[in-house]
Structures are given as C-alpha cells and as structure tokens.
Amino acid sequence: MRFVDIITKKRDGGTLSEAEIQFFISEYTKGNIPDYQVSSLLMALFFQGMDAVETATLTMAMAHSGDMLDLSSIKGKKADKHSTGGVGDKTSLVLGPLVAAVGTNVAKMSGRGLGHTGGTIDKLEAYDNFNVELSEANFIKQVNDIGLAIIGQTGNLTPADKKLYALRDVTGTVNIIPLIASSIMSKKIAAGSDIICLDVKVGDGAFMKTQEDARTLAKMMVDIGNTVGRKTLAFLTNMDEPLGYKIGNSLELEEVIATLKGHGPKDLTEICLQIGSYMVFYADNAISLDDAYQKLLAAIENGSALAKFYEFISAQGADPSKPFKQAKHKIPVLARKSGNIQKIKAEEIGIAAMILGAGRETITDIIDHSVGIELCRKVGDTIEKDQPLAYIYSNGKGEVQAITYIEDAYVIVATKQEPSTLIFEIID
Ligand code: URA
C-alpha cells in the first residue's frame, strides 16, 4: 500500500477502507510515514470529512495503537467523564469526589491544558507533591480502596493520537469534527471505563462554536462509544462565559473546595449535580436519576464529598491542609461603562489567564499555579462604571495585556440580560 494513494483518494472525496485506515495509523505510529504526507491527508480530511464508519474505524485503530488499560480487576462499574475543553472548567475535580462519595468508581485519565483551555492535571499539581503518575497497579488499587484516582496520560496510551494531535495543532487541522471525535474517544476507550460522560462545550471559548456542530460531534462520539460497548452519553453545555468565577490553577482548586462545601458557584454546582446523576444512574441500575441527584446533594451537605476529595489528594501524595502559594498582586479590572453583562468571551479570559502564566502557549512552558483571574460579574449581572469586573492575581508577568483582554471579554449592553443557559441538551 502506498500512502500517497490514500491521500489522493481522500482528496478526491473517496471513502477510506478499514485496511487503509489501519495502515495509516500503524505506519504513522511506527514513524514510517513522514509528517508532511500526514499533514496533506489531514488537510484533505478537513475538506472532505469522514463518514461514521471511517470515524469509528479510525477511533479503534488509534485506541489500539498503544496500551489498552484493563480495569476489570476494579470491583463494580467505572465511570469516566471528559470535557472537550473550556475556561474555568473544573467539573472533573468536583465530580470525581462527589460521585465517589456515593459509591461510584471513577478511574480517570486527564490531560494538561494548552492554549486558552486549562487541564485537570495542571490544576492538581497546584498541590505540592501531587503524584499524577501512578503505575497501572497502583491506579487500580487506589480506585478499589477509595473509589477515585486521577492520573495523567500514561506513556504509551494512544501514541497515534499524541503524534496526530501535535501535528494537527500546527497545521490548522484541529477543528475537524471526525478527528476530534476519534481523538477523544480513542483515549476514553483505551482508558478502560464502562461509562463515559462527555461534556461537549459550545460557544465562544469552545472548539464547537454552534450547537449544531456540537450536536454532530456529540452524536458521533456517543455512537462510537455505544457501538464498542461503553455506555456513552453527552451533555452540550454553554461556554459563552467561563464556568464559575475563578480561572487559574490554585484559584480553581479553591472553587472546587467551596463547591464541595456547598457554597460554590451555581453554574458549576448544577452542572456537576446533573452530570454526576447520570454517572451514578448508569453505574447503579437500581437507582433513579432523581434519587441519584438527591444522593449527590446529600453528599455535599453532609461533608462526605469534601472528605473524599481530601482523601484522594492525600492518597496521591499531597497534603490537602497545606495552603496554596499565593500570587503577589491582586489587581482590579474596572468596568469602562455601566450596564448589563451580555457575554464574557471565554476565549479572551482564557488567553488573559495564560498570559499571566496560568496556562502554556507551547507544550514546554512552565505554569505558575498561583496566578489567574477571579470574575466579579457573570452574564445577567449589572455593573456600574469603575466597579471591578474582575481581579487578576499576578506575579509581575503580562498584567497590562491581561487587563486589556479581560476588558474586551466583557460585553456590556444597556438592556437587561438573562443568565446564560447552562445545559442545552443531553444526548443519551
Ligand atoms: N480534545 C482532544 O482530546 N482531542 C481533540 O482533537 C480535541 C479536543
């Protein structure tokens, strides 16, 4: 088989066979196909797309390109949750201990942030000594012992996706729905959980800018997951403003703790209760969705969700009682005019946080866990001129530029605005 024939077939609108897709993934993973040829195929895919069968075949080829975790020695069902990436999105860190506190196992592999979106693993590393690299045996043992473990992607999980994602990032080919679907689902399938809850973000700060595109992506992923025997469902959720109020690693952990104590932001709390209910419902067929929701609410109220969070942080080597490092400066960002908040462009807020040092522009950048942004107003709120829209927490890097981004992110209008819709749709 010649790779150039695969490129030209796709360029001309053809459908790739299973053998061609297998050849592409296995030979590219082994380093036998150069990046310039794969870049060409990626661009052909951008224009010609892939049908459902091609996408499912690609997903499974990528899932099998490296190790597949075998979680069968964990007692009971294992639930996983994945977000397509947002700003201020700390749901996994609330959801993990929340559902584990009511007996649903969470064996989760998470990623790092890149560009304007944050990553769960970076946030956890705001705790000194937090160990994100458990061996497979210790990962399984921890889930059996306390019901929850979160680790970074292991060395040889979906190596094909690692190579392809890095190439897509620099060739303008990230935003191709079948490639996003196969990238996410290959990792979820290789990571071994029985239940996969997908949070597909829609809006300014997300890959999917419209509900229509988000629905297409969500349906594709749900179909792939269910076809290979994993109970998969997807939520379409709003990313036309950041989730919660805090953006930046230790700031987000503070908000996670507040949420587990029962006084977190409404949007974050509700999204966690909703997604969590489905995780518990599918892990335990004897419970109804409503009962699952009430059980989770009780776990927040009786302190067991917070206790589970601390137990999990300790189990992975950190001391949850140790205060986070604080940023040196707290600077207000003032409203330029009075009015009502119509939108907070999440991408601009994410970029502002990255400029302060909370995120990385390139994979080798070092993160400052103490910096970030605290929003003072959300969509639907009113503001007077010169009142703070937000605070930045900084250590002397990028303040002026970050302030400009935050000022530009807030869209302030004269007419009264409703709070944003949180969940648009559930595809189950
Ligand atoms: N997240 C992923 O893991 N892969 C993509 O392609 C996009 C978002």
Side-chain angles (χ1 to χ4, degrees), residues 361-395:
E361 210 158 350
T362 67
I363 203 84
T364 49
D365 289 349
I366 308 274
I367 281 188
D368 181 346
H369 292 99
S370 66
V371 302
I373 298 164
E374 181 177 7
L375 306 178
C376 303
R377 293 290 192 283
K378 297 270 288 184
V379 170
D381 290 343
T382 57
I383 188 129
E384 298 296 321
K385 183 173 185 297
D386 290 335
Q387 280 185 336
L389 287 167
Y391 289 98
I392 60 171
Y393 293 79
S394 66
N395 283 324

mmCIF file of all heavy atoms in Angstrom, residues 361-395:
data_model
loop_
_atom_site.group_PDB
_atom_site.id
_atom_site.type_symbol
_atom_site.label_atom_id
_atom_site.label_comp_id
_atom_site.label_asym_id
_atom_site.label_seq_id
_atom_site.Cartn_x
_atom_site.Cartn_y
_atom_site.Cartn_z
ATOM 1 N N GLU A 361 1.514 28.429 26.365
ATOM 2 C CA GLU A 361 1.325 28.701 24.944
ATOM 3 C C GLU A 361 1.929 27.555 24.129
ATOM 4 O O GLU A 361 1.390 27.118 23.136
ATOM 5 C CB GLU A 361 2.027 30.004 24.598
ATOM 6 C CG GLU A 361 1.395 30.758 23.470
ATOM 7 C CD GLU A 361 1.792 32.229 23.539
ATOM 8 O OE1 GLU A 361 2.393 32.668 24.547
ATOM 9 O OE2 GLU A 361 1.513 32.928 22.588
ATOM 10 N N THR A 362 3.091 27.093 24.600
ATOM 11 C CA THR A 362 3.702 25.934 23.944
ATOM 12 C C THR A 362 3.873 24.862 25.022
ATOM 13 O O THR A 362 3.926 25.181 26.221
ATOM 14 C CB THR A 362 5.085 26.261 23.350
ATOM 15 O OG1 THR A 362 5.965 26.537 24.434
ATOM 16 C CG2 THR A 362 5.037 27.460 22.426
ATOM 17 N N ILE A 363 3.998 23.649 24.576
ATOM 18 C CA ILE A 363 3.972 22.497 25.488
ATOM 19 C C ILE A 363 5.087 22.557 26.536
ATOM 20 O O ILE A 363 4.971 21.993 27.623
ATOM 21 C CB ILE A 363 4.001 21.194 24.644
ATOM 22 C CG1 ILE A 363 3.417 20.034 25.416
ATOM 23 C CG2 ILE A 363 5.349 20.858 24.093
ATOM 24 C CD1 ILE A 363 1.943 19.963 25.323
ATOM 25 N N THR A 364 6.173 23.303 26.254
ATOM 26 C CA THR A 364 7.299 23.317 27.188
ATOM 27 C C THR A 364 7.213 24.463 28.209
ATOM 28 O O THR A 364 8.040 24.538 29.120
ATOM 29 C CB THR A 364 8.628 23.468 26.410
ATOM 30 O OG1 THR A 364 8.474 24.559 25.503
ATOM 31 C CG2 THR A 364 8.989 22.212 25.649
ATOM 32 N N ASP A 365 6.231 25.365 28.090
ATOM 33 C CA ASP A 365 6.116 26.474 29.048
ATOM 34 C C ASP A 365 5.872 25.951 30.462
ATOM 35 O O ASP A 365 5.194 24.940 30.655
ATOM 36 C CB ASP A 365 4.942 27.399 28.669
ATOM 37 C CG ASP A 365 5.225 28.218 27.425
ATOM 38 O OD1 ASP A 365 6.390 28.228 26.995
ATOM 39 O OD2 ASP A 365 4.281 28.823 26.891
ATOM 40 N N ILE A 366 6.427 26.674 31.441
ATOM 41 C CA ILE A 366 6.230 26.282 32.856
ATOM 42 C C ILE A 366 5.063 27.104 33.415
ATOM 43 O O ILE A 366 5.008 28.320 33.235
ATOM 44 C CB ILE A 366 7.489 26.608 33.693
ATOM 45 C CG1 ILE A 366 8.740 26.014 33.036
ATOM 46 C CG2 ILE A 366 7.309 26.188 35.150
ATOM 47 C CD1 ILE A 366 9.056 24.612 33.380
ATOM 48 N N ILE A 367 4.167 26.410 34.113
ATOM 49 C CA ILE A 367 2.966 27.069 34.651
ATOM 50 C C ILE A 367 3.237 27.681 36.026
ATOM 51 O O ILE A 367 3.959 27.104 36.834
ATOM 52 C CB ILE A 367 1.844 26.018 34.743
ATOM 53 C CG1 ILE A 367 1.247 25.826 33.355
ATOM 54 C CG2 ILE A 367 0.791 26.388 35.745
ATOM 55 C CD1 ILE A 367 0.035 24.978 33.327
ATOM 56 N N ASP A 368 2.656 28.856 36.272
ATOM 57 C CA ASP A 368 2.655 29.442 37.610
ATOM 58 C C ASP A 368 1.271 29.132 38.210
ATOM 59 O O ASP A 368 0.261 29.699 37.776
ATOM 60 C CB ASP A 368 2.897 30.965 37.508
ATOM 61 C CG ASP A 368 2.927 31.627 38.878
ATOM 62 O OD1 ASP A 368 2.508 30.983 39.862
ATOM 63 O OD2 ASP A 368 3.367 32.790 38.957
ATOM 64 N N HIS A 369 1.247 28.221 39.189
ATOM 65 C CA HIS A 369 -0.056 27.762 39.701
ATOM 66 C C HIS A 369 -0.804 28.816 40.505
ATOM 67 O O HIS A 369 -1.990 28.685 40.752
ATOM 68 C CB HIS A 369 0.147 26.501 40.562
ATOM 69 C CG HIS A 369 0.580 25.321 39.758
ATOM 70 N ND1 HIS A 369 1.890 24.918 39.676
ATOM 71 C CD2 HIS A 369 -0.120 24.487 38.963
ATOM 72 C CE1 HIS A 369 1.977 23.868 38.872
ATOM 73 N NE2 HIS A 369 0.776 23.590 38.427
ATOM 74 N N SER A 370 -0.094 29.864 40.944
ATOM 75 C CA SER A 370 -0.744 30.808 41.860
ATOM 76 C C SER A 370 -1.479 31.936 41.139
ATOM 77 O O SER A 370 -2.266 32.642 41.761
ATOM 78 C CB SER A 370 0.304 31.405 42.806
ATOM 79 O OG SER A 370 1.221 32.200 42.086
ATOM 80 N N VAL A 371 -1.244 32.125 39.847
ATOM 81 C CA VAL A 371 -1.840 33.284 39.162
ATOM 82 C C VAL A 371 -3.165 32.922 38.505
ATOM 83 O O VAL A 371 -3.475 31.747 38.322
ATOM 84 C CB VAL A 371 -0.871 33.871 38.096
ATOM 85 C CG1 VAL A 371 0.441 34.293 38.729
ATOM 86 C CG2 VAL A 371 -0.622 32.862 36.972
ATOM 87 N N GLY A 372 -3.917 33.969 38.158
ATOM 88 C CA GLY A 372 -5.184 33.716 37.463
ATOM 89 C C GLY A 372 -6.126 34.899 37.573
ATOM 90 O O GLY A 372 -5.701 36.029 37.827
ATOM 91 N N ILE A 373 -7.403 34.595 37.416
ATOM 92 C CA ILE A 373 -8.427 35.639 37.335
ATOM 93 C C ILE A 373 -9.621 35.237 38.190
ATOM 94 O O ILE A 373 -10.008 34.063 38.215
ATOM 95 C CB ILE A 373 -8.892 35.788 35.856
ATOM 96 C CG1 ILE A 373 -7.709 36.209 34.983
ATOM 97 C CG2 ILE A 373 -10.052 36.782 35.728
ATOM 98 C CD1 ILE A 373 -7.937 36.016 33.500
ATOM 99 N N GLU A 374 -10.176 36.218 38.878
ATOM 100 C CA GLU A 374 -11.438 35.986 39.584
ATOM 101 C C GLU A 374 -12.467 36.945 38.998
ATOM 102 O O GLU A 374 -12.282 38.172 39.062
ATOM 103 C CB GLU A 374 -11.255 36.258 41.089
ATOM 104 C CG GLU A 374 -12.529 36.019 41.864
ATOM 105 C CD GLU A 374 -12.337 36.210 43.373
ATOM 106 O OE1 GLU A 374 -11.243 36.652 43.795
ATOM 107 O OE2 GLU A 374 -13.290 35.928 44.108
ATOM 108 N N LEU A 375 -13.512 36.410 38.421
ATOM 109 C CA LEU A 375 -14.554 37.266 37.849
ATOM 110 C C LEU A 375 -15.427 37.806 38.976
ATOM 111 O O LEU A 375 -15.694 37.103 39.956
ATOM 112 C CB LEU A 375 -15.430 36.469 36.875
ATOM 113 C CG LEU A 375 -14.692 35.727 35.749
ATOM 114 C CD1 LEU A 375 -15.697 34.940 34.901
ATOM 115 C CD2 LEU A 375 -13.901 36.694 34.874
ATOM 116 N N CYS A 376 -15.873 39.041 38.832
ATOM 117 C CA CYS A 376 -16.792 39.607 39.830
ATOM 118 C C CYS A 376 -18.220 39.634 39.301
ATOM 119 O O CYS A 376 -19.163 39.779 40.073
ATOM 120 C CB CYS A 376 -16.392 41.039 40.185
ATOM 121 S SG CYS A 376 -14.710 41.154 40.780
ATOM 122 N N ARG A 377 -18.378 39.551 38.001
ATOM 123 C CA ARG A 377 -19.717 39.593 37.404
ATOM 124 C C ARG A 377 -19.851 38.479 36.382
ATOM 125 O O ARG A 377 -18.883 38.111 35.714
ATOM 126 C CB ARG A 377 -19.944 40.921 36.672
ATOM 127 C CG ARG A 377 -20.004 42.141 37.572
ATOM 128 C CD ARG A 377 -21.284 42.151 38.419
ATOM 129 N NE ARG A 377 -21.493 43.443 39.065
ATOM 130 C CZ ARG A 377 -20.847 43.879 40.133
ATOM 131 N NH1 ARG A 377 -19.918 43.131 40.695
ATOM 132 N NH2 ARG A 377 -21.122 45.068 40.655
ATOM 133 N N LYS A 378 -21.089 37.936 36.278
ATOM 134 C CA LYS A 378 -21.381 36.910 35.274
ATOM 135 C C LYS A 378 -22.496 37.422 34.368
ATOM 136 O O LYS A 378 -23.113 38.454 34.653
ATOM 137 C CB LYS A 378 -21.840 35.622 35.978
ATOM 138 C CG LYS A 378 -20.780 35.007 36.876
ATOM 139 C CD LYS A 378 -19.880 34.025 36.193
ATOM 140 C CE LYS A 378 -20.603 32.726 35.892
ATOM 141 N NZ LYS A 378 -19.708 31.722 35.299
ATOM 142 N N VAL A 379 -22.793 36.682 33.330
ATOM 143 C CA VAL A 379 -23.839 37.095 32.388
ATOM 144 C C VAL A 379 -25.165 37.265 33.142
ATOM 145 O O VAL A 379 -25.530 36.442 33.974
ATOM 146 C CB VAL A 379 -23.989 36.048 31.255
ATOM 147 C CG1 VAL A 379 -25.222 36.329 30.409
ATOM 148 C CG2 VAL A 379 -22.731 36.034 30.392
ATOM 149 N N GLY A 380 -25.855 38.367 32.852
ATOM 150 C CA GLY A 380 -27.128 38.662 33.528
ATOM 151 C C GLY A 380 -26.956 39.652 34.662
ATOM 152 O O GLY A 380 -27.927 40.271 35.099
ATOM 153 N N ASP A 381 -25.722 39.827 35.154
ATOM 154 C CA ASP A 381 -25.478 40.792 36.243
ATOM 155 C C ASP A 381 -25.401 42.222 35.682
ATOM 156 O O ASP A 381 -25.143 42.420 34.487
ATOM 157 C CB ASP A 381 -24.142 40.494 36.943
ATOM 158 C CG ASP A 381 -24.187 39.218 37.755
ATOM 159 O OD1 ASP A 381 -25.310 38.741 38.049
ATOM 160 O OD2 ASP A 381 -23.110 38.685 38.090
ATOM 161 N N THR A 382 -25.593 43.182 36.585
ATOM 162 C CA THR A 382 -25.397 44.590 36.194
ATOM 163 C C THR A 382 -24.074 45.075 36.774
ATOM 164 O O THR A 382 -23.540 44.490 37.735
ATOM 165 C CB THR A 382 -26.523 45.486 36.734
ATOM 166 O OG1 THR A 382 -26.550 45.328 38.150
ATOM 167 C CG2 THR A 382 -27.861 45.132 36.141
ATOM 168 N N ILE A 383 -23.590 46.188 36.216
ATOM 169 C CA ILE A 383 -22.341 46.773 36.718
ATOM 170 C C ILE A 383 -22.372 48.282 36.519
ATOM 171 O O ILE A 383 -22.980 48.775 35.569
ATOM 172 C CB ILE A 383 -21.110 46.146 36.018
ATOM 173 C CG1 ILE A 383 -19.806 46.593 36.675
ATOM 174 C CG2 ILE A 383 -21.040 46.498 34.539
ATOM 175 C CD1 ILE A 383 -18.881 45.519 37.047
ATOM 176 N N GLU A 384 -21.728 48.998 37.458
ATOM 177 C CA GLU A 384 -21.574 50.451 37.311
ATOM 178 C C GLU A 384 -20.167 50.720 36.802
ATOM 179 O O GLU A 384 -19.231 49.978 37.117
ATOM 180 C CB GLU A 384 -21.741 51.139 38.678
ATOM 181 C CG GLU A 384 -23.102 50.948 39.335
ATOM 182 C CD GLU A 384 -24.221 51.578 38.533
ATOM 183 O OE1 GLU A 384 -24.006 52.684 37.980
ATOM 184 O OE2 GLU A 384 -25.295 50.952 38.410
ATOM 185 N N LYS A 385 -20.038 51.820 36.066
ATOM 186 C CA LYS A 385 -18.713 52.232 35.576
ATOM 187 C C LYS A 385 -17.732 52.292 36.766
ATOM 188 O O LYS A 385 -18.111 52.751 37.852
ATOM 189 C CB LYS A 385 -18.836 53.609 34.903
ATOM 190 C CG LYS A 385 -17.545 54.119 34.300
ATOM 191 C CD LYS A 385 -17.810 55.408 33.509
ATOM 192 C CE LYS A 385 -16.590 55.914 32.776
ATOM 193 N NZ LYS A 385 -15.467 56.310 33.564
ATOM 194 N N ASP A 386 -16.526 51.824 36.558
ATOM 195 C CA ASP A 386 -15.428 51.832 37.532
ATOM 196 C C ASP A 386 -15.584 50.835 38.684
ATOM 197 O O ASP A 386 -14.759 50.813 39.595
ATOM 198 C CB ASP A 386 -15.169 53.244 38.099
ATOM 199 C CG ASP A 386 -14.574 54.147 37.030
ATOM 200 O OD1 ASP A 386 -13.956 53.602 36.089
ATOM 201 O OD2 ASP A 386 -14.743 55.372 37.119
ATOM 202 N N GLN A 387 -16.643 50.024 38.653
ATOM 203 C CA GLN A 387 -16.689 48.897 39.609
ATOM 204 C C GLN A 387 -15.829 47.756 39.024
ATOM 205 O O GLN A 387 -15.672 47.663 37.803
ATOM 206 C CB GLN A 387 -18.123 48.381 39.757
ATOM 207 C CG GLN A 387 -18.969 49.221 40.691
ATOM 208 C CD GLN A 387 -20.347 48.595 40.898
ATOM 209 O OE1 GLN A 387 -20.837 47.836 40.062
ATOM 210 N NE2 GLN A 387 -20.964 48.943 42.008
ATOM 211 N N PRO A 388 -15.286 46.869 39.891
ATOM 212 C CA PRO A 388 -14.456 45.784 39.333
ATOM 213 C C PRO A 388 -15.271 44.739 38.575
ATOM 214 O O PRO A 388 -16.264 44.233 39.093
ATOM 215 C CB PRO A 388 -13.775 45.163 40.551
ATOM 216 C CG PRO A 388 -14.461 45.708 41.744
ATOM 217 C CD PRO A 388 -15.274 46.905 41.365
ATOM 218 N N LEU A 389 -14.828 44.479 37.367
ATOM 219 C CA LEU A 389 -15.385 43.374 36.579
ATOM 220 C C LEU A 389 -14.746 42.076 37.043
ATOM 221 O O LEU A 389 -15.358 41.011 37.033
ATOM 222 C CB LEU A 389 -15.009 43.545 35.098
ATOM 223 C CG LEU A 389 -15.683 44.624 34.283
ATOM 224 C CD1 LEU A 389 -14.952 44.816 32.969
ATOM 225 C CD2 LEU A 389 -17.131 44.226 34.029
ATOM 226 N N ALA A 390 -13.469 42.211 37.404
ATOM 227 C CA ALA A 390 -12.680 41.015 37.750
ATOM 228 C C ALA A 390 -11.439 41.465 38.516
ATOM 229 O O ALA A 390 -11.126 42.664 38.555
ATOM 230 C CB ALA A 390 -12.262 40.301 36.470
ATOM 231 N N TYR A 391 -10.761 40.497 39.135
ATOM 232 C CA TYR A 391 -9.431 40.752 39.709
ATOM 233 C C TYR A 391 -8.437 39.848 38.997
ATOM 234 O O TYR A 391 -8.773 38.696 38.680
ATOM 235 C CB TYR A 391 -9.394 40.418 41.202
ATOM 236 C CG TYR A 391 -10.164 41.403 42.049
ATOM 237 C CD1 TYR A 391 -11.463 41.129 42.456
ATOM 238 C CD2 TYR A 391 -9.598 42.622 42.425
ATOM 239 C CE1 TYR A 391 -12.184 42.039 43.218
ATOM 240 C CE2 TYR A 391 -10.310 43.537 43.184
ATOM 241 C CZ TYR A 391 -11.601 43.245 43.573
ATOM 242 O OH TYR A 391 -12.304 44.153 44.304
ATOM 243 N N ILE A 392 -7.237 40.382 38.775
ATOM 244 C CA ILE A 392 -6.188 39.462 38.336
ATOM 245 C C ILE A 392 -5.264 39.194 39.522
ATOM 246 O O ILE A 392 -5.007 40.087 40.333
ATOM 247 C CB ILE A 392 -5.398 39.969 37.107
ATOM 248 C CG1 ILE A 392 -4.707 41.290 37.368
ATOM 249 C CG2 ILE A 392 -6.263 40.049 35.877
ATOM 250 C CD1 ILE A 392 -3.767 41.676 36.233
ATOM 251 N N TYR A 393 -4.805 37.969 39.603
ATOM 252 C CA TYR A 393 -3.804 37.562 40.598
ATOM 253 C C TYR A 393 -2.529 37.317 39.802
ATOM 254 O O TYR A 393 -2.517 36.471 38.897
ATOM 255 C CB TYR A 393 -4.239 36.278 41.306
ATOM 256 C CG TYR A 393 -5.465 36.465 42.180
ATOM 257 C CD1 TYR A 393 -6.737 36.508 41.613
ATOM 258 C CD2 TYR A 393 -5.348 36.617 43.559
ATOM 259 C CE1 TYR A 393 -7.863 36.703 42.404
ATOM 260 C CE2 TYR A 393 -6.474 36.806 44.351
ATOM 261 C CZ TYR A 393 -7.732 36.846 43.765
ATOM 262 O OH TYR A 393 -8.844 37.038 44.548
ATOM 263 N N SER A 394 -1.472 38.086 40.113
ATOM 264 C CA SER A 394 -0.315 38.021 39.219
ATOM 265 C C SER A 394 0.997 38.076 39.992
ATOM 266 O O SER A 394 1.037 38.461 41.167
ATOM 267 C CB SER A 394 -0.377 39.187 38.231
ATOM 268 O OG SER A 394 -0.209 40.392 38.944
ATOM 269 N N ASN A 395 2.040 37.708 39.277
ATOM 270 C CA ASN A 395 3.395 37.783 39.845
ATOM 271 C C ASN A 395 4.289 38.635 38.960
ATOM 272 O O ASN A 395 5.462 38.330 38.762
ATOM 273 C CB ASN A 395 3.972 36.369 39.985
ATOM 274 C CG ASN A 395 3.385 35.655 41.193
ATOM 275 O OD1 ASN A 395 3.134 36.282 42.226
ATOM 276 N ND2 ASN A 395 3.142 34.364 41.063
#
